[in-house]
Amino acid sequence: MNERVNLIVDGGSKPPRIEIHQSWWAMNGIGRGGKEWSIEEKFEKIAEAGFTGIMAHLPKEKEAEQWRRLLDEYSFNFGIHSFPRKPEDITELLKEAKQFGVLYVNSQVMDSFVMGQQAVELLQGLVEEARLADMPYTVETHRGRVTQDLHRTVDYVKAIPDLRLTIDLSHYIVAGELTAAASKELEMAGKLFDVLLQRTSSIHARISNGEQVQVDIGPNAEHSMVEPFMKWWQQGMSYWLDEAKAGAVLPFVTELGPPDYAITESKYAGGERLEISDRWEQALLLKRLGEEAWKRAIENHKT
Protein backbone atom coordinates (compact mmCIF):
# COMPACT_ATOMS: atom_id res chain seq x y z
CA MET A 1 0.00 0.00 0.00
CA ASN A 2 1.20 3.52 -0.78
CA GLU A 3 1.94 4.89 2.68
CA ARG A 4 1.87 8.47 1.49
CA VAL A 5 -1.53 8.69 -0.11
CA ASN A 6 -3.24 5.28 0.22
CA LEU A 7 -4.83 5.43 -3.21
CA ILE A 8 -6.91 2.59 -4.63
CA VAL A 9 -4.71 0.43 -6.87
CA ASP A 10 -5.34 -2.76 -8.81
CA GLY A 11 -1.74 -3.95 -8.90
CA GLY A 12 -1.43 -3.39 -12.63
CA SER A 13 0.75 -1.10 -14.70
CA LYS A 14 -1.98 0.81 -16.56
CA PRO A 15 -1.93 4.60 -16.38
CA PRO A 16 -4.12 6.13 -13.66
CA ARG A 17 -7.74 5.76 -14.72
CA ILE A 18 -11.32 6.33 -13.75
CA GLU A 19 -13.71 3.41 -13.56
CA ILE A 20 -17.46 3.98 -13.65
CA HIS A 21 -19.15 1.61 -11.22
CA GLN A 22 -22.79 1.02 -10.34
CA SER A 23 -24.10 0.81 -6.79
CA TRP A 24 -25.84 -2.51 -6.13
CA TRP A 25 -28.12 -0.79 -3.60
CA ALA A 26 -29.18 1.49 -6.46
CA MET A 27 -30.33 -1.60 -8.40
CA ASN A 28 -33.02 -2.40 -5.81
CA GLY A 29 -36.37 -2.55 -7.62
CA ILE A 30 -34.84 -1.90 -11.05
CA GLY A 31 -36.27 -3.85 -13.97
CA ARG A 32 -38.79 -3.62 -16.75
CA GLY A 33 -42.49 -4.38 -17.14
CA GLY A 34 -43.11 -4.28 -13.41
CA LYS A 35 -40.63 -7.08 -12.78
CA GLU A 36 -37.29 -6.59 -11.04
CA TRP A 37 -34.25 -7.94 -12.86
CA SER A 38 -32.61 -11.03 -11.41
CA ILE A 39 -29.02 -10.89 -10.13
CA GLU A 40 -27.79 -12.28 -13.45
CA GLU A 41 -29.89 -9.80 -15.44
CA LYS A 42 -28.61 -6.90 -13.34
CA PHE A 43 -25.00 -7.91 -14.00
CA GLU A 44 -25.76 -8.20 -17.70
CA LYS A 45 -27.45 -4.79 -17.88
CA ILE A 46 -24.66 -3.11 -15.90
CA ALA A 47 -22.07 -4.57 -18.29
CA GLU A 48 -24.08 -3.68 -21.41
CA ALA A 49 -24.27 -0.07 -20.20
CA GLY A 50 -20.47 0.13 -20.05
CA PHE A 51 -19.92 0.07 -16.30
CA THR A 52 -16.72 -1.68 -15.22
CA GLY A 53 -17.52 -2.50 -11.62
CA ILE A 54 -20.02 -2.73 -8.80
CA MET A 55 -20.16 -1.46 -5.24
CA ALA A 56 -22.08 -3.62 -2.77
CA HIS A 57 -21.87 -5.48 0.51
CA LEU A 58 -19.38 -8.33 0.75
CA PRO A 59 -21.42 -11.41 -0.22
CA LYS A 60 -21.60 -14.25 2.26
CA GLU A 61 -21.70 -18.04 2.04
CA LYS A 62 -23.76 -19.41 -0.91
CA GLU A 63 -24.18 -15.96 -2.42
CA ALA A 64 -20.40 -15.42 -2.46
CA GLU A 65 -19.82 -18.19 -5.01
CA GLN A 66 -22.39 -16.72 -7.39
CA TRP A 67 -20.99 -13.22 -7.01
CA ARG A 68 -17.40 -14.33 -7.59
CA ARG A 69 -18.47 -16.16 -10.75
CA LEU A 70 -20.39 -13.18 -12.13
CA LEU A 71 -17.69 -10.65 -11.22
CA ASP A 72 -15.13 -12.79 -13.05
CA GLU A 73 -17.44 -13.40 -16.01
CA TYR A 74 -17.87 -9.67 -16.60
CA SER A 75 -14.34 -8.69 -15.46
CA PHE A 76 -15.79 -6.28 -12.92
CA ASN A 77 -13.86 -4.59 -10.17
CA PHE A 78 -15.61 -4.69 -6.81
CA GLY A 79 -15.78 -2.25 -3.89
CA ILE A 80 -17.67 -2.88 -0.67
CA HIS A 81 -19.53 -0.95 2.04
CA SER A 82 -19.01 -1.13 5.78
CA PHE A 83 -20.58 0.62 8.77
CA PRO A 84 -18.09 0.43 11.67
CA ARG A 85 -18.51 1.90 15.13
CA LYS A 86 -15.00 0.99 16.23
CA PRO A 87 -11.78 -0.04 14.44
CA GLU A 88 -12.17 -3.72 15.38
CA ASP A 89 -15.44 -3.81 13.44
CA ILE A 90 -13.52 -3.94 10.17
CA THR A 91 -10.58 -6.17 11.19
CA GLU A 92 -12.08 -9.41 9.95
CA LEU A 93 -13.96 -7.73 7.11
CA LEU A 94 -10.70 -6.38 5.67
CA LYS A 95 -9.21 -9.90 5.69
CA GLU A 96 -12.29 -11.38 4.03
CA ALA A 97 -12.35 -8.56 1.48
CA LYS A 98 -8.74 -9.19 0.52
CA GLN A 99 -9.38 -12.93 0.15
CA PHE A 100 -12.42 -12.24 -2.04
CA GLY A 101 -10.48 -9.92 -4.34
CA VAL A 102 -12.15 -6.66 -3.32
CA LEU A 103 -10.59 -3.53 -4.84
CA TYR A 104 -11.28 -1.29 -1.82
CA VAL A 105 -13.39 -0.96 1.31
CA ASN A 106 -15.58 2.09 1.91
CA SER A 107 -17.00 3.03 5.33
CA GLN A 108 -19.89 5.10 6.51
CA VAL A 109 -18.52 5.54 10.02
CA MET A 110 -21.07 5.45 12.81
CA ASP A 111 -22.40 7.78 14.10
CA SER A 112 -23.20 11.50 14.01
CA PHE A 113 -23.02 11.82 17.82
CA VAL A 114 -19.32 10.91 17.85
CA MET A 115 -17.43 14.19 17.58
CA GLY A 116 -14.15 15.98 18.18
CA GLN A 117 -11.14 14.05 19.46
CA GLN A 118 -13.23 10.90 19.91
CA ALA A 119 -14.07 10.96 16.20
CA VAL A 120 -10.46 11.67 15.23
CA GLU A 121 -9.25 8.68 17.24
CA LEU A 122 -11.95 6.46 15.73
CA LEU A 123 -11.02 7.48 12.18
CA GLN A 124 -7.30 7.11 12.90
CA GLY A 125 -7.94 3.63 14.23
CA LEU A 126 -9.88 2.64 11.11
CA VAL A 127 -7.15 3.97 8.83
CA GLU A 128 -4.57 2.01 10.83
CA GLU A 129 -6.59 -1.22 10.57
CA ALA A 130 -6.69 -0.80 6.80
CA ARG A 131 -2.96 -0.09 6.68
CA LEU A 132 -2.19 -3.24 8.62
CA ALA A 133 -4.45 -5.23 6.30
CA ASP A 134 -2.87 -3.61 3.21
CA MET A 135 -6.34 -2.77 1.90
CA PRO A 136 -7.23 0.55 0.21
CA TYR A 137 -9.76 2.22 2.48
CA THR A 138 -12.04 5.26 2.18
CA VAL A 139 -14.43 7.09 4.48
CA GLU A 140 -17.61 8.38 2.90
CA THR A 141 -18.84 11.94 3.43
CA HIS A 142 -22.33 11.10 4.63
CA ARG A 143 -25.07 12.49 6.86
CA GLY A 144 -25.99 10.64 10.03
CA ARG A 145 -22.40 9.47 10.44
CA VAL A 146 -19.17 10.79 11.96
CA THR A 147 -18.96 12.91 8.80
CA GLN A 148 -22.41 14.45 9.44
CA ASP A 149 -21.16 18.02 9.44
CA LEU A 150 -19.06 19.65 6.72
CA HIS A 151 -17.07 21.77 9.16
CA ARG A 152 -16.13 18.92 11.48
CA THR A 153 -15.22 16.68 8.52
CA VAL A 154 -12.80 19.35 7.33
CA ASP A 155 -11.26 19.29 10.81
CA TYR A 156 -10.88 15.49 10.67
CA VAL A 157 -9.15 15.66 7.30
CA LYS A 158 -6.72 18.25 8.63
CA ALA A 159 -6.02 16.12 11.70
CA ILE A 160 -5.45 12.83 9.83
CA PRO A 161 -3.02 13.07 6.88
CA ASP A 162 -3.74 9.51 5.67
CA LEU A 163 -7.52 9.82 5.70
CA ARG A 164 -8.89 9.26 2.18
CA LEU A 165 -12.48 10.02 1.22
CA THR A 166 -15.33 8.78 -0.86
CA ILE A 167 -16.78 12.10 -1.94
CA ASP A 168 -20.57 12.45 -1.88
CA LEU A 169 -21.32 16.14 -1.63
CA SER A 170 -25.08 15.67 -2.03
CA HIS A 171 -25.24 15.14 1.74
CA TYR A 172 -23.66 18.50 2.53
CA ILE A 173 -25.70 20.31 -0.10
CA VAL A 174 -28.97 19.12 1.40
CA ALA A 175 -27.78 19.44 5.03
CA GLY A 176 -26.78 23.06 4.37
CA GLU A 177 -29.86 23.78 2.23
CA LEU A 178 -27.52 25.01 -0.48
CA THR A 179 -29.44 25.79 -3.65
CA ALA A 180 -28.38 27.08 -7.06
CA ALA A 181 -29.87 30.45 -6.10
CA ALA A 182 -27.69 30.67 -2.98
CA SER A 183 -24.55 31.63 -4.90
CA LYS A 184 -22.76 33.24 -1.93
CA GLU A 185 -23.37 30.22 0.30
CA LEU A 186 -22.30 27.83 -2.46
CA GLU A 187 -19.08 29.76 -2.90
CA MET A 188 -18.37 29.60 0.83
CA ALA A 189 -19.15 25.89 0.94
CA GLY A 190 -16.95 25.37 -2.11
CA LYS A 191 -13.90 26.51 -0.15
CA LEU A 192 -14.53 23.81 2.44
CA PHE A 193 -15.36 21.26 -0.26
CA ASP A 194 -11.94 21.97 -1.73
CA VAL A 195 -10.25 20.70 1.46
CA LEU A 196 -12.17 17.44 1.19
CA LEU A 197 -11.67 17.12 -2.57
CA GLN A 198 -7.92 17.06 -2.04
CA ARG A 199 -8.44 13.65 -0.37
CA THR A 200 -10.56 12.18 -3.17
CA SER A 201 -10.14 8.42 -3.59
CA SER A 202 -13.65 7.68 -4.87
CA ILE A 203 -16.73 9.66 -5.90
CA HIS A 204 -20.40 8.79 -5.39
CA ALA A 205 -22.59 10.37 -8.04
CA ARG A 206 -25.85 11.79 -6.77
CA ILE A 207 -27.12 15.35 -7.18
CA SER A 208 -29.05 17.31 -4.55
CA ASN A 209 -30.99 20.52 -5.07
CA GLY A 210 -30.47 21.64 -1.48
CA GLU A 211 -33.92 20.47 -0.41
CA GLN A 212 -33.92 16.78 -1.40
CA VAL A 213 -30.80 14.62 -1.27
CA GLN A 214 -31.55 12.97 -4.64
CA VAL A 215 -33.32 14.69 -7.52
CA ASP A 216 -34.17 13.95 -11.12
CA ILE A 217 -31.75 16.09 -13.15
CA GLY A 218 -33.84 15.91 -16.33
CA PRO A 219 -33.40 13.86 -19.50
CA ASN A 220 -30.50 16.00 -20.68
CA ALA A 221 -28.97 17.01 -17.32
CA GLU A 222 -30.59 20.45 -17.50
CA HIS A 223 -30.99 20.81 -13.72
CA SER A 224 -29.33 23.95 -12.34
CA MET A 225 -27.23 21.99 -9.82
CA VAL A 226 -25.58 19.78 -12.45
CA GLU A 227 -22.83 22.22 -13.31
CA PRO A 228 -21.76 22.89 -9.69
CA PHE A 229 -21.51 19.16 -9.07
CA MET A 230 -19.60 18.66 -12.32
CA LYS A 231 -17.16 21.34 -11.21
CA TRP A 232 -16.60 19.64 -7.84
CA TRP A 233 -16.23 16.19 -9.38
CA GLN A 234 -13.72 17.54 -11.87
CA GLN A 235 -11.73 19.26 -9.12
CA GLY A 236 -11.60 16.06 -7.07
CA MET A 237 -10.45 14.15 -10.13
CA SER A 238 -7.74 16.73 -10.79
CA TYR A 239 -6.40 16.48 -7.24
CA TRP A 240 -6.44 12.70 -7.55
CA LEU A 241 -4.46 12.88 -10.80
CA ASP A 242 -1.80 14.97 -9.06
CA GLU A 243 -1.05 12.00 -6.77
CA ALA A 244 -1.96 8.95 -8.83
CA LYS A 245 0.68 6.54 -10.13
CA ALA A 246 0.50 3.56 -12.48
CA GLY A 247 -2.22 1.11 -11.49
CA ALA A 248 -4.29 3.70 -9.58
CA VAL A 249 -8.07 3.50 -10.00
CA LEU A 250 -10.62 6.22 -9.22
CA PRO A 251 -14.07 4.61 -8.80
CA PHE A 252 -16.90 6.93 -9.86
CA VAL A 253 -20.01 5.21 -8.49
CA THR A 254 -23.50 6.14 -9.69
CA GLU A 255 -25.58 5.76 -6.55
CA LEU A 256 -29.25 6.61 -6.91
CA GLY A 257 -31.08 4.98 -4.04
CA PRO A 258 -34.56 3.47 -4.05
CA PRO A 259 -37.34 5.02 -1.94
CA ASP A 260 -37.01 6.71 0.51
CA TYR A 261 -34.01 8.26 -1.26
CA ALA A 262 -35.90 8.41 -4.51
CA ILE A 263 -38.75 10.93 -4.60
CA THR A 264 -42.13 9.26 -5.04
CA GLU A 265 -45.60 10.26 -6.15
CA SER A 266 -48.52 10.21 -3.76
CA LYS A 267 -50.18 7.46 -5.81
CA TYR A 268 -49.56 3.80 -5.06
CA ALA A 269 -49.37 0.85 -7.44
CA GLY A 270 -50.02 -2.49 -5.82
CA GLY A 271 -49.11 -1.03 -2.46
CA GLU A 272 -45.81 0.38 -3.78
CA ARG A 273 -45.04 4.07 -4.10
CA LEU A 274 -44.24 5.14 -7.64
CA GLU A 275 -40.90 6.89 -8.24
CA ILE A 276 -41.06 10.10 -10.22
CA SER A 277 -37.89 9.14 -12.12
CA ASP A 278 -36.60 6.31 -14.24
CA ARG A 279 -33.75 5.57 -11.86
CA TRP A 280 -31.85 3.40 -14.32
CA GLU A 281 -31.94 6.04 -17.07
CA GLN A 282 -30.81 8.66 -14.57
CA ALA A 283 -27.91 6.39 -13.55
CA LEU A 284 -26.83 6.15 -17.19
CA LEU A 285 -26.99 9.93 -17.44
CA LEU A 286 -24.80 10.32 -14.33
CA LYS A 287 -22.38 7.84 -15.88
CA ARG A 288 -22.04 10.10 -18.92
CA LEU A 289 -21.56 13.15 -16.69
CA GLY A 290 -18.80 11.38 -14.80
CA GLU A 291 -17.06 10.54 -18.07
CA GLU A 292 -17.36 14.16 -19.17
CA ALA A 293 -15.94 15.46 -15.87
CA TRP A 294 -13.03 13.04 -16.24
CA LYS A 295 -12.39 14.24 -19.79
CA ARG A 296 -12.26 17.83 -18.56
CA ALA A 297 -9.95 16.89 -15.68
CA ILE A 298 -7.55 15.07 -18.03
CA GLU A 299 -7.49 17.98 -20.49
CA ASN A 300 -6.82 20.50 -17.73
CA HIS A 301 -4.18 18.28 -16.19
CA LYS A 302 -2.24 18.25 -19.45
CA THR A 303 -2.13 22.06 -19.69
Side-chain angles (χ1 to χ4, degrees), residues 57-75:
H57 292 289
L58 185 67
K60 298 291 186 179
E61 299 173 354
K62 294 180 181 179
E63 194 180 43
E65 184 178 343
Q66 180 186 28
W67 269 77
R68 187 66 269 164
R69 174 178 59 81
L70 289 168
L71 289 166
D72 291 343
E73 179 180 340
Y74 290 100
S75 299

Side-chain angles (χ1 to χ4, degrees), residues 48 119 160 182 189 227 248 255:
E48 286 178 352
I160 309 171
E227 195 52 41
E255 194 190 34

Side-chain angles (χ1 to χ4, degrees), residues 24 27 37-49 54 66-72 74 76 78:
W24 194 251
M27 298 301 289
W37 290 326
S38 67
I39 291 178
E40 290 82 1
E41 288 172 326
K42 288 178 181 179
F43 266 83
E44 181 181 2
K45 296 296 184 181
I46 291 169
E48 286 178 352
I54 289 174
Q66 180 186 28
W67 269 77
R68 187 66 269 164
R69 174 178 59 81
L70 289 168
L71 289 166
D72 291 343
Y74 290 100
F76 281 165
F78 187 44

Side-chain angles (χ1 to χ4, degrees), residues 49 51 254 279-289:
F51 292 96
T254 60
R279 196 160 19 104
W280 178 242
E281 291 300 323
Q282 287 282 292
L284 300 183
L285 181 55
L286 287 173
K287 174 180 179 291
R288 292 195 291 273
L289 293 179

Side-chain angles (χ1 to χ4, degrees), residues 3 41 71 92 128 133 156 182 240 278:
E3 294 182 358
E41 288 172 326
L71 289 166
E92 191 61 32
E128 177 62 14
Y156 302 153
W240 181 86
D278 185 322

